[in-house]
Amino acid sequence: MNKSEIQQKIDSIINEILSRDPGLNFNEMSIADKMNIIISESSQALEFVTTVEDEFDIELDDDDIDLDFFIDINTMIERLNVNITNKSQ
């Protein structure tokens, strides 16, 4: 799986979580703004992590899930890519 495919899945997960708030117009938001909304609610952050783990069939180490994971999409993609690569070996 390449980084572009990982980002597409992440975008899909984020949009699915945010779509549950009918008053939120997230379509014009940047990925960083979307992630800020998700991490502002601990239940959404937990749902995001568990959905990512399920979607990619991986288990993230606690050390992988820090603030950088949530606020920097490139960090997130890189950490997911490492976990996906390690799983397939």
Side-chain angles (χ1 to χ4, degrees), residues 12-80:
S12 177
I13 293 166
I14 291 168
N15 290 337
E16 173 62 31
I17 292 170
L18 294 180
S19 71
R20 297 186 191 126
D21 184 347
L24 183 63
N25 183 8
F26 62 88
N27 292 323
E28 300 298 318
M29 291 181 181
S30 70
I31 190 80
D33 290 339
K34 291 176 183 181
M35 286 307 300
N36 282 331
I37 292 170
I38 287 177
I39 64 173
S40 71
E41 294 288 331
S42 60
S43 61
Q44 286 182 338
L46 179 60
E47 179 183 4
F48 176 77
V49 171
T50 57
T51 303
V52 164
E53 288 178 327
D54 290 345
E55 184 69 29
F56 293 102
D57 193 27
I58 58 172
E59 186 172 325
L60 294 167
D61 292 331
D62 289 343
D63 293 340
D64 288 334
I65 310 168
D66 58 9
L67 191 55
D68 288 335
F69 177 83
F70 288 103
I71 62 172
D72 183 356
I73 188 68
N74 294 318
T75 299
M76 182 187 303
I77 290 170
E78 186 58 39
R79 290 180 186 176
L80 291 173

